[in-house]
Amino acid sequence: MEEVASLTRQSRSILHEWAQAAEHGAAAKGPVHYNLGRRRYWRRSDVEKWLESRRVEVPGRHG
């Protein structure tokens, strides 16, 4: 979770809140995750895909 928090620049509590909401049927706000026992895990590729889906292109800006 620490690495996901760092990559997404979101707090652990927000990641937990998003994951819990998704587990209860709400539209996912965060990256896809897995529950293994009592722990949550994220694949790096899923986190990167989620980040890319939030990319905003600003006309006239490059970078």
Side-chain angles (χ1 to χ4, degrees):
M1 182 173 274
E2 291 297 328
E3 187 175 354
V4 177
S6 178
L7 285 170
T8 62
R9 297 186 183 255
Q10 300 296 322
S11 68
R12 290 176 53 178
S13 62
I14 287 294
L15 292 171
H16 174 72
E17 187 178 304
W18 287 349
Q20 194 170 31
E23 291 164 11
H24 289 98
K29 291 184 180 179
V32 173
H33 70 281
Y34 301 87
N35 288 333
L36 298 174
R38 296 181 61 164
R39 303 191 91 172
R40 291 186 177 109
Y41 296 91
W42 290 261
R43 283 192 327 201
R44 185 179 194 93
S45 61
D46 289 333
V47 174
E48 290 171 348
K49 186 176 173 182
W50 179 81
L51 286 168
E52 186 63 28
S53 75
R54 266 120 192 96
R55 183 174 153 173
V56 176
E57 294 280 338
V58 178
R61 294 184 107 184
H62 301 282

